């Protein structure tokens, strides 16, 4: 299972993450149970628990076409190197960029309390 979060206003911050107005998928272990409860209670966010695909396994990005992956990266302000030409390369670049974005998002943010 994964968590899909869409902000009603792009750039809204909660739980030390800047949430874009486009749907963003996070692994189910990305947030603590307390953070997930705060996210679900936040009226500015749409939080959905989703399965990873029809077979119940795998990454949601795996089902996307190259164009969809590039659009996903663009919508989430993720830089994909020009050298990433295949779907696996683009997915790896997306995951690396998301990890870097999440790691940098926690600095100086106190909105993680859910208050």
């Amino acid at each position: 299972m994964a968590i899909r979060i869409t902000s009603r206003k792009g750039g809204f911050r909660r739980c030390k993450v800047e949430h874009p107005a486009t749907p963003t998928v996070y692994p189910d272990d990305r947030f603590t149970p307390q953070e997930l409860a705060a996210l679900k209670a936040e009226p500015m966010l749409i939080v959905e628990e989703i399965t990873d695909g029809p077979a119940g396994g795998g990454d949601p990005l795996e089902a996307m076409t190259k164009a969809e992956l590039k659009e996903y990266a663009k919508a989430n302000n993720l830089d994909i190197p020009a050298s990433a030409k295949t779907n696996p390369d683009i997915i790896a670049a997306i995951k690396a960029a998301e990890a870097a974005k999440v790691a940098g998002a926690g600095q100086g943010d106190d909105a993680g309390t859910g208050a």
Side-chain angles (χ1 to χ4, degrees), residues 91-114:
I91 290 169
I94 286 172
K95 288 181 178 182
E98 285 179 332
K101 190 174 182 180
V102 168
Q107 299 176 7
D109 177 29
D110 61 356
T113 62

Side-chain angles (χ1 to χ4, degrees), residues 18-106:
E18 182 176 324
H19 300 282
T22 56
T24 303
V25 177
Y26 299 94
D28 63 347
D29 62 350
R30 166 59 184 91
F31 300 102
T32 66
Q34 295 82 5
E35 289 173 326
L36 190 55
L39 292 166
K40 287 180 175 182
E42 175 56 59
M44 289 294 294
L45 299 174
I46 301 166
V47 180
E48 305 166 275
E49 294 183 26
I50 58 173
T51 60
D52 290 338
D59 186 335
L61 296 175
E62 299 282 341
M64 293 185 185
T65 66
K66 190 182 298 185
E68 290 170 331
L69 288 167
K70 288 182 178 184
E71 181 58 33
Y72 173 87
K74 181 179 177 183
N76 288 286
N77 296 319
L78 303 173
D79 292 325
I80 304 301
S83 60
K85 301 214 182 280
T86 65
N87 281 22
D89 289 344
I90 296 169
I91 290 169
I94 286 172
K95 288 181 178 182
E98 285 179 332
K101 190 174 182 180
V102 168

